[in-house]
Amino acid sequence: MNPQVAHLPCMRHFEITHGVLTLGGHPLTELADRAGGTPFYAYDPTALDARVGELRTALPPDLRLHYAVKANPMPEVVRHLARRVDGFDVASLGELQRVLECGGAAAETGFAGPGKRDPELAAALRAGAVIHLESPGEAERVRRLCAALDRTARVTLRINPDFALKGSGMRMGGGPQPFGVDAEQAPALLRQLADPAFDFLGFHIFAGSQNLQANALIAAHDRLFELAHHLAAGAPEPVRLLNIGGGFGIPYFPHDRPVDLAPVAENLAHWMERPGLVRDGARVVLELGRYLVGEAGIYVTSVIDRKASRGRTYLITDGGLHHHLAASGNLGQVIRKNYPVAVGNRMDEEAVETASVAGPLCTPLDLLADDIPLPRAEPGDLIVVFQSGAYGLTASPTGFLSHPPPPELWVGDPVMAYNRTDDTSA
Ligand SMILES: *Cc1c(COP(=O)(O)O)cnc(C)c1O
């Protein structure tokens, strides 16, 4: 098998039947029929359940596991996880509505994001979700909405920490940030939160995304818990909730190794056993996006054309960056690197050539793989992009070049298709 994908943890859950990649007993060729052709995304519940299971086994039992919906808001994914995680993180009214439609509990849903609009805040208040306050201005708007709606707001204060998570693919804290309130500004704002409009629950502190290094995660958690202990002294009420964000990474590139969960979990257990905060009744929430769903998804596209240009072989596909911006290297990558890619109907064949996989868009950025070893692929063959369950379709510019959005398949029992073109509520 293609050595670029043979080592992927998700390959434990996928099978190969007569050379064809198979999810949940359904060969890709059959899934393509169900999708009405290519391109499409497919998500495998077995891989999702395995991931939840690994986390539950490793993490301290009283650590609450939430799902950050922005990683993948496909309804079946959210519905499936609603029965398996302890709550959700949302970043828009649309995501909150998705969680509520899919069986999630508003009380266990946190609403984060630097630019929440009044109607969104009002809906969160009415539903009883937790609002993560991100600025003094937002706190004041929530206070006024509480008066207008005769409600109390269940809130945390989101802190922009005075440290960053080393080795993160995307920084979410440290230095100047649009997210949260600088740790230095927090004491003053905490005094203002001693207002009957607010039911103050605690803190939200999130330092960075896509981190594979256990040491860096441990160092960030250490500083995060220290900061929370320090800020708790100035809080208007005893801290009942500490949200430590997400950020566990998954391997995409050849030298990436999966997160070593055991030491990270051990360190969290150690903090949760310390006097203060957790021992005094604060719940700790870990809200993971990518780590939960990233490995459970693939993107599948067909070869439309095969051509040579000055010594380079191009496989031109019907899918591209308009569906999968991250795989093209244009979502947060500094140096373009290839996602793991294979020819999904030739999984048994050896690589015999070096080819580049280019999408149909009229831009040189539309490259799904650059100079990778592949078996010889012909028009009609299926190119699979692995590690595509998180920040895939909904993190892509689907309007660019006016191709239709691809369906998303939930490869459960039964297989279900979700088509965003039918989603009139969006
Ligand atoms: C995006 C986000 C997450 C999830 O991040 P991952 O890196 O996917 O785990 C969690 N919390 C908040 C507030 C976020 O914005």
Side-chain angles (χ1 to χ4, degrees):
M1 199 201 305
N2 179 344
Q4 288 186 75
V5 301
H7 70 280
L8 291 174
C10 61
M11 291 309 291
R12 276 179 292 146
H13 310 294
F14 304 160
E15 288 169 358
I16 292 166
T17 39
H18 308 295
V20 180
L21 185 72
T22 300
L23 272 62
H26 304 278
L28 277 193
T29 38
E30 180 205 319
L31 291 176
D33 284 344
R34 294 206 187 214
T38 53
F40 62 92
Y41 275 91
Y43 311 124
D44 179 26
T46 322
L48 213 52
D49 291 349
R51 186 37 65 91
V52 174
E54 283 157 23
L55 283 163
R56 294 287 196 195
T57 306
L59 294 170
D62 40 357
L63 181 82
R64 317 266 303 172
L65 181 61
H66 283 203
Y67 173 51
V69 176
K70 78 171 187 285
N72 188 333
M74 195 253 193
E76 293 310 321
V77 170
V78 177
R79 197 167 289 130
H80 191 78
L81 285 173
R83 295 192 297 271
R84 287 162 178 83
V85 298
D86 305 308
F88 290 93
D89 163 60
V90 298
S92 70
L93 179 53
E95 287 188 356
L96 176 60
Q97 285 166 340
R98 177 61 50 82
V99 165
L100 300 181
E101 285 157 19
C102 294
E108 304 299 334
T109 300
F111 186 9
K116 307 179 201 76
R117 290 170 294 164
D118 283 3
E120 295 183 295
L121 290 167
L125 276 175
R126 286 201 195 89
V130 174
I131 298 174
H132 301 303
L133 297 172
E134 309 238 358
S135 76
E138 187 173 77
E140 180 52 25
R141 282 193 292 129
V142 170
R143 199 185 59 76
R144 273 191 257 128
L145 284 168
C146 285
L149 299 171
D150 193 23
R151 301 265 170 168
T152 6
R154 303 172 65 229
V155 298
T156 75
L157 185 56
R158 181 163 178 190
I159 306 293
N160 171 28
D162 44 5
F163 59 88
L165 175 51
K166 277 202 331 223
S168 276
M170 249 180 243
R171 275 172 62 158
M172 304 287 291
Q177 290 289 347
F179 314 113
V181 174
D182 294 348
E184 316 77 277
Q185 294 177 14
L189 186 49
L190 282 171
R191 286 191 287 278
Q192 287 171 40
L193 296 183
D195 181 300
F198 299 114
D199 179 11
F200 176 84
L201 300 177
F203 298 103
H204 182 295
I205 312 177
F206 180 24
S209 192
Q210 177 51 17
N211 205 298
L212 292 168
Q213 300 163 29
N215 289 344
L217 287 165
I218 288 169
H221 288 158
D222 285 347
R223 301 206 52 188
L224 186 160
F225 273 89
E226 278 162 16
L227 181 59
H229 275 269
H230 170 72
L231 291 172
E237 287 175 60
V239 171
R240 281 168 285 160
L241 184 63
L242 175 60
N243 186 316
I244 63 174
F248 293 15
I250 61 169
Y252 291 100
F253 311 120
H255 298 292
D256 285 353
R257 294 289 160 268
V259 177
D260 185 4
L261 215 48
V264 177
E266 196 183 312
N267 186 55
L268 286 171
H270 159 81
W271 275 106
M272 292 175 71
E273 282 152 17
R274 283 229 187 152
L277 226 61
V278 179
R279 291 261 299 271
D280 295 346
R283 282 173 164 186
V284 179
V285 169
L286 175 68
E287 53 186 18
L288 295 172
R290 188 190 316 269
Y291 194 78
L292 275 170
V293 295
E295 302 199 339
I298 57 172
Y299 176 60
V300 184
T301 170
S302 299
V303 177
I304 298 287
D305 198 2
R306 188 191 153 88
K307 61 200 267 192
S309 168
R310 302 206 168 115
R312 180 165 296 184
T313 300
Y314 281 101
L315 303 169
I316 310 288
T317 53
D318 59 5
L321 77 75
H322 54 313
H323 299 159
H324 202 335
L325 185 67
S328 75
N330 293 293
L331 184 73
Q333 273 191 48
V334 182
I335 300 165
R336 195 196 172 290
K337 288 186 267 187
N338 292 315
Y339 264 47
V341 163
V343 183
N345 56 319
R346 299 182 187 271
M347 297 295 287
D348 289 342
E349 294 179 26
E350 298 295 320
V352 293
E353 67 177 8
T354 299
S356 292
V357 180
L361 306 192
C362 304
T363 160
L365 301 179
D366 194 11
L367 205 56
L368 291 177
D370 191 15
D371 266 337
I372 58 163
L374 285 177
R376 186 185 165 93
E378 299 290 345
D381 282 346
L382 299 170
I383 301 288
V384 180
V385 183
F386 291 84
Q387 308 294 77
S388 297
Y391 305 111
L393 181 58
T394 56
S396 300
T398 49
F400 192 35
L401 268 90
S402 303
H403 291 287
E408 296 172 278
L409 295 186
W410 172 254
V411 190
D413 187 16
V415 176
M416 284 193 261
Y418 178 66
N419 205 321
R420 290 181 61 80
T421 40
D422 299 335
D423 188 10
T424 44
S425 65

